[in-house]
């Protein structure tokens, strides 16, 4: 079905009331009125770089990156997003007016991957990964963030991320 000119195809749909309640109960750290915060969880950066970049390295990688280097970096992100979206059920966490948290399910993994790849032109996404009790936040500078409650629970996913070629860095 062709999408009319000027209209976007929606990537996510609202989940059932029952699932909404389950996700809200599991991810209370995201609720505006919660006593705990996502900052209380462990945090790792996901990036194609093996270390935190110096200012000179940042300039080289972002302001002076050649057009020939861009496809390789984009492909690395595509493979990571594919791993993330297809390895476990994930849901978008989104705030509505008044700070109300809602969750949305992907319509398809391909749509989510394409949406994640458009981060330079659209707002970044926040995804929850219930299986791992984790929150993925997309960043805008070739760095994304994984918040999680337990390293033991996350280890299978972290191993797949490393095997795929991305790097996991602790915040400075």
């Amino acid at each position: 079905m062709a999408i009319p000119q000027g209209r976007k195809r929606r990537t996510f749909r609202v989940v059932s009331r029952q699932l909404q309640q389950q996700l809200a109960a599991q991810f209370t750290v995201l609720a505006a009125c919660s006593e705990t915060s996502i900052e209380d969880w462990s945090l790792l950066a996901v990036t194609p770089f093996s270390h935190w970049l110096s200012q000179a390295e940042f300039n080289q990688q972002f302001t002076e990156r050649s057009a020939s280097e861009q496809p390789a970096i984009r492909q690395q992100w595509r493979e990571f997003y594919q791993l993330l979206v297809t390895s476990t059920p994930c849901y978008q966490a989104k705030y509505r007016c008044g700070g109300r948290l809602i969750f949305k399910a992907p319509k398809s993994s391909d749509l989510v991957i394409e949406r994640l790849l458009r981060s330079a032109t659209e707002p970044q996404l926040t995804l929850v990964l219930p299986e791992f009790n984790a929150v993925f936040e997309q960043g805008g500078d070739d760095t994304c963030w994984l918040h999680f409650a337990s390293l033991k629970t996350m280890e299978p996913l972290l191993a797949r991320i490393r095997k795929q070629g991305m790097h996991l860095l602790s915040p400075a």
Side-chain angles (χ1 to χ4, degrees), residues 27-37 95-101:
F27 292 99
T28 56
V29 295
L30 295 176
C33 60
S34 175
E35 292 180 16
T36 58
S37 168
Y95 295 94
R96 288 285 189 215
C97 59
R100 193 183 81 153
L101 180 63

Side-chain angles (χ1 to χ4, degrees), residues 22-31 34 38 41 101 103 127-135 147:
Q22 289 172 348
L23 292 171
Q26 182 174 358
F27 292 99
T28 56
V29 295
L30 295 176
S34 175
I38 193 75
W41 282 14
L101 180 63
F103 297 94
L127 301 174
V128 296
L129 312 170
E131 177 183 347
F132 298 105
N133 201 29
V135 176
H147 301 266

Side-chain angles (χ1 to χ4, degrees), residues 7-153:
R7 294 196 59 194
K8 292 182 184 179
R9 196 166 163 195
R10 297 205 182 264
T11 306
F12 297 93
R13 65 181 179 280
V14 177
V15 299
S16 71
R17 184 180 185 130
Q18 180 182 7
L19 183 55
Q20 190 79 246
Q21 291 171 342
Q22 289 172 348
L23 292 171
Q26 182 174 358
F27 292 99
T28 56
V29 295
L30 295 176
C33 60
S34 175
E35 292 180 16
T36 58
S37 168
I38 193 75
E39 280 78 31
D40 297 332
W41 282 14
S42 298
L43 177 67
L44 286 175
V46 180
T47 179
F49 309 111
S50 62
H51 61 281
W52 290 108
L53 301 180
S54 67
Q55 185 64 47
E57 291 170 320
F58 179 85
N59 290 338
Q60 179 186 13
Q61 290 295 326
F62 290 94
T63 58
E64 301 165 10
R65 184 185 293 168
S66 72
S68 63
E69 293 173 308
Q70 189 59 38
I73 298 271
R74 184 173 170 83
Q75 182 60 30
Q76 197 167 3
W77 278 112
R78 177 181 295 281
E79 290 170 6
F80 167 70
Y81 293 146
Q82 185 169 8
L83 167 76
L84 185 70
V85 171
T86 60
S87 68
T88 185
C90 63
Y91 302 91
Q92 179 187 28
K94 190 173 186 176
Y95 295 94
R96 288 285 189 215
C97 59
R100 193 183 81 153
L101 180 63
I102 64 165
F103 297 94
K104 294 184 168 194
K107 288 186 174 180
S108 81
S109 57
D110 289 339
L111 284 174
V112 176
I113 293 164
E114 289 307 314
R115 173 61 183 80
L116 285 163
L117 286 168
R118 292 193 313 255
S119 67
T121 58
E122 295 189 24
Q124 283 79 31
L125 292 177
T126 298
L127 301 174
V128 296
L129 312 170
E131 177 183 347
F132 298 105
N133 201 29
V135 176
F136 168 83
E137 290 183 315
Q138 187 178 27
D141 62 351
D142 280 349
T143 303
C144 293
W145 301 95
L146 276 173
H147 301 266
F148 52 94
S150 165
L151 182 58
K152 184 178 180 182
T153 305

